[in-house]
Amino acid sequence: AQTVTQSQPEMSVQEAETVTLSCTYDTSESDYYLFWYKQPPSRQMILVIRQEAYKQQNATENRFSVNFQKAAKSFSLKISDSQLGDAAMYFCAYRNVGGATNKLIFGTGTLLAVQP
Amino acid sequence: DSGVTQTPKHLITATGQRVTLRCSPRSGDLSVYWYQQSLDQGLQFLIQYYNGEERAKGNILERFSAQQFPDLHSELNLSSLELGDSALYFCASSVDGRAQYFGPGTRLTVT
């Protein structure tokens, strides 16, 4: 069974600085998707960024980028120029390609605080 | 706004009762997923529907059931509620499975 591990329960960053959140996963599949979701205090789950495993190029969305290391099964999220609105819980998630279900498997989350 | 709607936002009920949570997916999305978020279990997949048919089941209790209607909205039915069922229940939808977009969730409190 696939698992997702986020080893940093909490992180803190100064406004305008850069922070990296870690995620590792375990799978025997070769094709899959990886995601980062943000959950602010409102509790809404917001898709931040996604990465297809077959793509070597790291995904980027504005100030958010990932470092995808397939061999190491690592998928970290870098937030540049951190803003107060980035304060939230961040979840890493995995999804198989194909198979009977597209269910997401989530990590336990990293709570990011942004200091003014 | 993800385009996925869920009602109600909050629900408070007593043990032993039955409740129904409703979800409307984004326009054009055929797949609906239900997830439960609790403090002790984290975010867990419950069940998936695709165009009215059950596609997959996860850690869903026998007391829980769901369906997807011809207009693609979905309902999650929770019965014989226990204190431990208190959680945030999310619905998500997708068109191709590559990305799932979540609704705002329904917070269920069982007293």
Side-chain angles (χ1 to χ4, degrees), chain A residues 33 35 37 39 43-45 47 50 91 95 100-104 106, chain B residues 33 35 37 43 45 48 55-56 90 97-100 102-104 107:
Chain A
Y33 292 118
F35 306 87
Y37 280 87
Q39 187 177 40
R43 295 295 198 168
Q44 173 82 48
M45 291 288 287
L47 177 62
R50 77 170 182 221
F91 291 95
R95 202 216 97 190
T101 178
N102 297 327
K103 71 176 184 182
L104 292 172
F106 287 92
Chain B
Y33 311 78
Y35 292 88
Q37 185 178 30
L43 269 158
F45 167 73
Q48 175 193 355
R55 177 64 66 90
F90 284 108
R98 284 188 220 173
Q100 294 180 24
F102 282 71
R107 178 170 293 284

Side-chain angles (χ1 to χ4, degrees), chain A residues 23-97:
Chain A
C23 172
T24 58
Y25 58 95
D26 189 26
T27 184
S28 58
E29 302 292 331
S30 60
D31 202 8
Y32 47 86
Y33 292 118
L34 295 164
F35 306 87
W36 279 98
Y37 280 87
K38 169 185 178 181
Q39 187 177 40
S42 67
R43 295 295 198 168
Q44 173 82 48
M45 291 288 287
I46 302 165
L47 177 62
V48 174
I49 199 165
R50 77 170 182 221
Q51 174 80 43
E52 289 90 340
Y54 67 86
K55 288 186 178 178
Q56 292 190 340
Q57 187 173 7
N58 289 322
T60 298
E61 288 286 344
N62 300 313
R63 298 182 295 106
F64 298 86
S65 62
V66 298
N67 184 3
F68 173 49
Q69 302 288 329
K70 192 172 184 179
K73 296 180 182 174
S74 170
F75 182 61
S76 61
L77 175 70
K78 186 170 85 170
I79 306 175
S80 304
D81 186 25
S82 296
Q83 300 175 1
L84 295 177
D86 295 334
M89 182 74 88
Y90 286 82
F91 291 95
C92 178
Y94 167 100
R95 202 216 97 190
N96 273 337
V97 172

